Amino acid sequence: MSNIYGYMRVSTSEQNEDRQRIALLEQGVPEKALFLDKLSGKDFERPQYQRLVRRLRPGDVVFVKSIDRLGRNYRDIIDQWRLITKEKQADVVVVDMPLLDTRIGKDLLGTFLADMVLQLLSFVAENERANIRTRQAEGIAAAKARGVRFGRPPKPLPPQFDEYSQRWDAGELTARQAAAELEMPVATFKQKARLLLDAQPV
């Protein structure tokens, strides 16, 4: 008898796989036949995916919610599709795209059409990811141009910083001595002190 499996992937351990799990269970995939990786899709060194592929036998069926669960770029998705359908002789069903169901259209025309749709969708998915990265970079650049700061806010300077900067500038103590008194790294003290002194009116 053919076995039914489901594969889920989320990119980080913080992400939730519930939507994928519900979709696969609704397709009749048994809970015990679900495989989950909480890792990036940048490569296929994913333990649960590898375990699933090793288990596959001819006639088995693998369900995924969307095509990008198999990989994050055009070449990887195509390679994994061929691994499952050609080498392992199992079927793949993409829940979000009924056309990508290798159980139907087993004749030459059906296989050709499924492969064409797969390649088109893989290209579109990869292209959309590239567009998202471009939009994110453009948004960050625009925000920086408006003065938006990213990252952690700067740590406030100690209350006596101005006094010690003046004494350092006057040669009364070394940068190392001032930094030790203020409990700051020497390089940080010198950088901040120069900025402060440069900003003061002559």
Side-chain angles (χ1 to χ4, degrees):
M1 286 183 60
S2 299
N3 296 304
I4 298 176
Y5 301 105
Y7 179 68
M8 304 174 289
R9 177 178 63 79
V10 290
S11 298
T12 68
S13 58
E14 287 79 23
Q15 289 182 339
N16 195 299
E17 74 278 3
D18 283 351
R19 286 193 306 135
Q20 294 180 62
R21 183 183 301 277
I22 291 169
L24 298 182
L25 291 175
E26 288 177 347
Q27 295 294 317
V29 180
E31 178 81 38
K32 64 180 181 180
L34 293 175
F35 292 78
L36 168 66
D37 278 310
K38 291 194 174 187
L39 298 166
S40 169
K42 66 183 179 181
D43 57 47
F44 279 86
E45 298 303 318
R46 297 179 287 175
Q48 292 303 307
Y49 180 80
Q50 298 288 2
R51 184 167 159 244
L52 167 60
V53 169
R54 286 195 300 269
R55 187 172 293 190
L56 289 177
R57 298 293 179 266
D60 288 348
V61 184
V62 178
F63 285 83
V64 291
K65 186 177 187 302
S66 58
I67 192 65
D68 60 356
R69 297 305 86 192
L70 288 177
R72 297 186 67 182
N73 63 62
Y74 173 81
R75 183 181 297 277
D76 284 342
I77 292 172
I78 296 294
D79 287 347
Q80 297 310 308
W81 185 275
R82 287 179 177 153
L83 169 65
I84 295 171
T85 61
K86 303 295 193 294
E87 294 183 29
K88 293 293 184 175
Q89 298 180 35
D91 285 304
V92 181
V93 179
V94 180
V95 177
D96 287 351
M97 181 55 61
L99 280 173
L100 292 179
D101 183 346
T102 61
R103 297 173 302 176
I104 58 177
K106 288 286 189 180
D107 58 7
L108 186 60
L109 178 60
T111 301
F112 172 76
L113 289 175
D115 284 348
M116 288 293 292
V117 171
L118 169 68
Q119 292 190 43
L120 176 61
L121 289 175
S122 300
F123 173 78
V124 169
E126 183 176 2
N127 196 52
E128 178 58 22
R129 276 189 292 272
N131 288 339
I132 289 171
R133 286 194 294 269
T134 299
R135 290 195 294 269
Q136 286 174 337
E138 290 172 348
I140 291 171
K144 285 182 176 178
R146 294 194 306 271
V148 176
R149 291 178 175 268
F150 292 89
R152 282 188 266 181
K155 198 174 177 181
L157 295 173
Q160 306 91 350
F161 184 82
D162 185 58
E163 174 194 342
Y164 279 93
S165 297
Q166 298 290 349
R167 292 177 62 190
W168 170 64
D169 188 49
E172 295 178 12
L173 41 72
T174 66
R176 186 176 298 279
Q177 290 170 327
E181 289 291 332
L182 297 170
E183 298 182 347
M184 296 176 65
V186 176
T188 302
F189 168 76
K190 291 171 75 173
Q191 178 194 22
K192 302 288 186 183
R194 286 194 185 104
L195 290 172
L196 176 68
L197 295 166
D198 290 344
Q200 291 179 349
V202 178

